[in-house]
Amino acid sequence: MKVHFSIITPDNWLIFNVLKVREDQGSFVASNLTILARAFAFRDYNSQVFAIYYGDLPIGLLMQRDYKENNKGFCVLDQFMIAEQYQGKGFGKTAMKLWLSMIKAEEKYDSIILCYKDGDEIARNLYLGMGFHHTGEVDEDEIIMEYNLKEVRK
């Protein structure tokens, strides 16, 4: 079995809505219902929510959207969660690698940007391990990171 993405549909959204992170992580990630609502709110920015599966098992969600600034195109990783019972097994890392390869293959963005909340060391370490770097910017309690796709393509 392997990790793969699918779309959220009327048939599976309730399954993904009940997935949760560990209780101590609840302040770091929006609820899945909020993720779905946020994607709807950002629909004019090409927002997408991917269902993350391990074989037939629903294990998480990922939300992305487009953002443009100063003639540069960014992919914003808005939300990423792996359900508590699947954490610590490498699924987050595998899903992130798969997603990064999808974004790179599109060749439409200059960079990927994301933020994580101060204190979320698991997210911080995952993103650093994937090649993201801190920009030095902070938005309230969220630390901004970037993955420069132009440098990767060189």
Side-chain angles (χ1 to χ4, degrees):
M1 291 200 298
K2 64 182 200 172
V3 172
H4 63 96
F5 298 126
S6 186
I7 59 171
I8 298 293
T9 68
D11 296 325
N12 70 5
W13 79 273
L14 284 173
I15 294 166
F16 284 90
N17 188 44
V18 299
L19 296 180
K20 297 189 181 342
V21 294
R22 291 189 331 245
E23 192 173 319
D24 63 315
Q25 298 170 324
S27 64
F28 298 139
V29 181
S31 73
N32 291 350
L33 190 57
T34 300
I35 292 171
L36 294 171
R38 186 177 179 96
F40 179 77
F42 281 94
R43 65 191 176 278
D44 291 341
Y45 298 89
N46 194 32
S47 64
Q48 298 177 58
V49 176
F50 292 102
I52 305 171
Y53 284 93
Y54 175 61
D56 293 336
L57 293 171
I59 64 169
L61 285 176
L62 182 150
M63 181 195 160
Q64 71 177 59
R65 64 182 166 89
D66 292 352
Y67 176 72
K68 288 196 179 277
E69 183 177 279
N70 299 326
N71 293 324
K72 286 180 142 184
F74 299 91
C75 181
V76 178
L77 176 59
D78 231 325
Q79 298 286 327
F80 178 62
M81 71 80 69
I82 298 294
E84 63 182 325
Q85 65 269 38
Y86 302 107
Q87 292 182 13
K89 299 175 179 2
F91 294 124
K93 188 177 204 176
T94 300
M96 185 60 59
K97 283 181 182 177
L98 178 61
W99 181 74
L100 283 171
S101 69
M102 285 176 21
I103 297 302
K104 288 175 190 175
E106 288 182 26
E107 295 187 0
K108 78 179 218 183
Y109 302 106
D110 295 291
S111 292
I112 301 169
I113 53 174
L114 61 78
C115 59
Y116 68 93
K117 290 199 175 186
D118 190 21
D120 189 353
E121 293 303 308
I122 293 172
R124 176 188 173 277
N125 292 335
L126 173 66
Y127 300 141
L128 285 172
M130 293 289 116
F132 284 85
H133 68 274
H134 289 99
T135 65
E137 298 172 70
V138 177
D139 184 9
E140 295 183 16
D141 64 343
E142 295 186 341
I143 300 163
I144 299 171
M145 298 183 88
E146 183 175 15
Y147 186 100
N148 189 322
L149 292 164
K150 296 290 185 186
E151 287 180 12
V152 173
R153 288 187 202 118
K154 289 181 183 176

